[in-house]
Amino acid sequence: MPSALAFVLLVLNISLLKGQSPPGKPEIHKCRSPDKETFTCWWNPGTDGGLPTNYSLTYSKEGEKTTYECPDYKTSGPNSCFFSKQYTSIWKIYIITVNATNQMGSSSSDPLYVDVTYIVEPEPPRNLTLEVKQLKDKKTYLWVKWSPPTITDVKTGWFTMEYEIRLKPEEAEEWEIHFTGHQTQFKVFDLYPGQKYLVQTRCKPDHGYWSRWSQESSVEMPNDFTLKDTTVWIIVAILSAVICLIMVWAVALKGYSMMTCIFPPVPGPKIKGFDTHLLETGSPSKYKVDLYLALPGGFQKLDNAGELDY
């Protein structure tokens, strides 16, 4: 007995000197179901201890004593286990563990408790289409439409999906996100004219996680003034110019009358007894003034000739 124990210790010491050790503890990374009918679990392996290491996934169902091994290690790729419809049960709790084993020993992950109903992560929505529409008041908007993922059954009520869309100008960095509820179409207003927009959508079941964002679709918003609007404004401008020319022509024809209205002629002198004909002769000595006209500080009356001195 002592010799056997000594031999084991010797082998362990030699292995440790060579850098060999039991495998590190693996970790279950994620379990996901796309449709409540199948699911997959992935794990991250620990260190291999410098030796070939085998990994296995075992599980049991809550309330049962039987332990099962993963039915399919290939379908979902390395370090994964796929559960087909045959091995998937809803409303049952799976207790899942990953085990690592090599020549130096073994280790196990912490157990993960999985309810398939709550690990649903659907595929992204499909058939994303974008249309630019116009209201009666000429205001434009973007009409976004899509279809649920192919493998999810929303018509029978097996799934209740919620959706989000996000969009941004092509050169922008931040996305504008809109929650659309259960509807598979949405209208977006107040977008910048002349900009190219990128749009994506995703979905989430009533219990579970958001899907990945769908592939990008793009659309270019038209400018505010379409060709039709531009033509209308050109016609309006031409008509306005014609009306202005007609008004200028009418004013030119009636220019004299207009000047008369603006600058009326100055009326002649209205002083009683004043002879305007004498003003034209330029002879101040012959001015005649009514003898009864009296101006303060003005003319003085002569007795004989009727002539006035200053």
Side-chain angles (χ1 to χ4, degrees):
M1 244 345 247
S3 60
L5 180 59
F7 177 75
V8 171
L9 292 174
L10 178 62
V11 171
L12 287 174
N13 288 332
I14 294 174
S15 299
L16 291 173
L17 290 174
K18 291 182 178 180
Q20 297 173 343
S21 64
K25 182 179 179 178
E27 178 185 3
I28 300 176
H29 170 58
K30 179 182 181 181
C31 290
R32 169 186 175 261
S33 172
D35 52 9
K36 293 184 183 178
E37 296 182 353
T38 63
F39 73 100
T40 300
C41 289
W42 293 267
W43 65 84
N44 296 321
T47 58
D48 60 7
L51 293 169
T53 302
N54 294 322
Y55 294 91
S56 64
L57 182 146
T58 57
Y59 68 95
S60 62
K61 296 179 182 180
E62 192 174 44
E64 299 180 7
K65 296 182 179 180
T66 306
T67 299
Y68 307 93
E69 188 175 355
C70 170
D72 183 350
Y73 287 108
K74 296 181 179 179
T75 299
S76 298
N79 302 323
S80 70
C81 177
F82 174 71
F83 295 78
S84 64
K85 290 182 180 181
Q86 179 182 352
Y87 299 97
T88 301
S89 301
I90 61 171
W91 315 122
K92 285 281 188 178
I93 304 297
Y94 287 73
I95 306 169
I96 300 174
T97 305
V98 174
N99 309 291
T101 305
N102 65 13
Q103 291 181 353
M104 298 296 295
S106 63
S107 63
S108 298
S109 68
D110 294 329
L112 179 67
Y113 294 81
V114 173
D115 185 340
V116 177
T117 305
Y118 291 93
I119 62 168
V120 176
E121 182 183 319
E123 295 297 320
R126 56 194 176 89
N127 299 333
L128 178 62
T129 58
L130 311 174
E131 293 184 49
V132 177
K133 295 284 188 177
Q134 194 173 59
L135 298 174
K136 292 182 180 179
D137 61 357
K138 305 297 184 181
K139 188 176 183 180
T140 58
Y141 64 90
L142 179 61
W143 192 15
V144 186
K145 296 184 293 184
W146 60 90
S147 300
T150 306
I151 61 175
T152 53
D153 187 1
V154 296
K155 293 182 179 179
T156 62
W158 181 242
F159 269 94
T160 302
M161 284 289 186
E162 296 178 335
Y163 300 92
E164 282 185 344
I165 66 167
R166 69 177 185 179
L167 71 161
K168 68 171 184 174
E170 187 176 28
E171 303 300 328
E173 295 184 359
E174 294 186 2
W175 292 87
E176 177 184 329
I177 299 178
H178 297 274
F179 177 72
T180 70
H182 301 305
Q183 61 184 351
T184 56
Q185 55 183 300
F186 192 74
K187 296 177 182 178
V188 186
F189 293 87
D190 300 325
L191 298 178
Y192 293 107
Q195 287 274 4
K196 183 179 181 181
Y197 279 84
L198 305 178
V199 183
Q200 292 178 301
T201 182
R202 66 177 182 174
C203 59
K204 183 180 81 68
D206 46 357
H207 301 292
Y209 304 98
W210 285 104
S211 70
R212 303 184 310 276
W213 288 103
S214 65
Q215 291 185 346
E216 293 179 353
S217 293
S218 63
V219 65
E220 186 166 349
M221 298 300 294
N223 289 317
D224 284 340
F225 293 100
T226 60
L227 180 60
K228 182 179 179 180
D229 295 331
T230 305
T231 303
V232 170
W233 282 108
I234 290 174
I235 294 173
V236 170
I238 293 174
L239 290 176
S240 301
V242 170
I243 292 172
C244 290
L245 290 175
I246 293 174
M247 292 178 64
V248 171
W249 179 64
V251 170
L253 289 178
K254 298 181 179 181
Y256 178 75
S257 300
M258 293 290 291
M259 291 296 293
T260 303
C261 293
I262 298 173
F263 303 106
V266 179
K270 301 297 182 180
I271 302 175
K272 187 177 180 180
F274 196 86
D275 191 351
T276 58
H277 180 69
L278 294 177
L279 289 174
E280 297 176 0
T281 63
S283 177
S285 63
K286 296 181 180 180
Y287 290 167
K288 300 294 182 179
V289 183
D290 193 315
L291 296 178
Y292 297 100
L293 180 63
L295 297 175
F299 299 103
Q300 300 295 327
K301 180 179 179 182
L302 294 179
D303 293 336
N304 298 325
E307 296 180 356
L308 298 177
D309 293 332
Y310 293 99

